């Protein structure tokens, strides 16, 4: 896989995506957790076709600013660009816009994993809790 992969996803802000409903605040605006979910979805989908069968990616870090509010009913668009590939680590530049402004920006890193092995490792914690 090489850097330079770009991808865009668009969604319309619904009541389920608001700060009030995500428990991240009391206002009916696009919530930061919803923006983070959109960023992660855009990033993993951008590289999914480049991976071998049975492989996936997991988010490992985010450094994002949420710089402007967006009301319910407005469209939001996330753009990711794969800027660095370091072995199995993937680094993305991310920007999120609504119909008027840039509303979020930053970086996101993901790690390539073998899906089955990763799930088994995660499930192994159930016996230790």
């Amino acid at each position: 896989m090489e850097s330079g992969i770009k991808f865009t996803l668009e969604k319309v802000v619904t009541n389920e995506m608001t700060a009030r409903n995500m428990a991240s605040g009391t206002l009916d605006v696009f919530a930061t957790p919803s923006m983070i979910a959109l960023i992660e979805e855009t990033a993993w989908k951008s590289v999914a076709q480049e991976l071998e069968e049975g492989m996936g990616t997991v988010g490992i870090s985010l450094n994002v600013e949420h710089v402007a509010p967006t009301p319910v009913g407005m469209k939001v668009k996330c753009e990711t660009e794969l800027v660095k590939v370091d072995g199995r680590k993937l680094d993305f530049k991310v920007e999120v816009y609504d119909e008027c402004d840039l509303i979020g920006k930053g970086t996101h890193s993901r790690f390539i994993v073998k899906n089955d092995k990763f799930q088994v490792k995660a499930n192994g914690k159930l016996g230790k809790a």
Side-chain angles (χ1 to χ4, degrees), residues 89-103:
K89 184 180 178 214
L90 309 175
D91 294 324
F92 296 86
K93 173 186 170 189
V94 301
E95 294 180 336
V96 184
Y97 298 87
D98 63 20
E99 296 172 52
C100 298
D101 300 307
L102 173 75
I103 64 165

Side-chain angles (χ1 to χ4, degrees), residues 2 12 17-21 27-29 34 36 38 54 61 66 69 82-84 86 95-96 102 108 112 114 118 128:
E2 294 184 17
V12 174
M17 299 169 157
T18 64
R20 180 186 311 271
N21 284 325
L27 299 173
D28 292 317
V29 295
S34 295
I36 297 302
L38 178 59
S61 71
H66 195 166
L82 180 60
V83 294
K84 184 178 179 186
D86 183 9
E95 294 180 336
V96 184
L102 173 75
H108 174 44
I112 299 171
K114 184 170 176 128
F118 190 86
K128 297 177 183 178

Side-chain angles (χ1 to χ4, degrees), residues 53-119:
E53 184 73 25
M55 303 298 281
T57 63
V58 293
I60 59 171
S61 71
L62 285 154
N63 183 6
V64 177
E65 295 178 66
H66 195 166
V67 298
T70 303
V72 172
M74 188 170 271
K75 191 183 306 180
V76 290
K77 173 177 69 171
C78 180
E79 299 175 351
T80 62
E81 179 180 359
L82 180 60
V83 294
K84 184 178 179 186
V85 178
D86 183 9
R88 295 191 299 154
K89 184 180 178 214
L90 309 175
D91 294 324
F92 296 86
K93 173 186 170 189
V94 301
E95 294 180 336
V96 184
Y97 298 87
D98 63 20
E99 296 172 52
C100 298
D101 300 307
L102 173 75
I103 64 165
K105 61 183 178 176
T107 59
H108 174 44
S109 296
R110 301 187 69 77
F111 201 77
I112 299 171
V113 298
K114 184 170 176 128
N115 291 333
D116 292 346
K117 184 178 177 182
F118 190 86
Q119 191 66 58

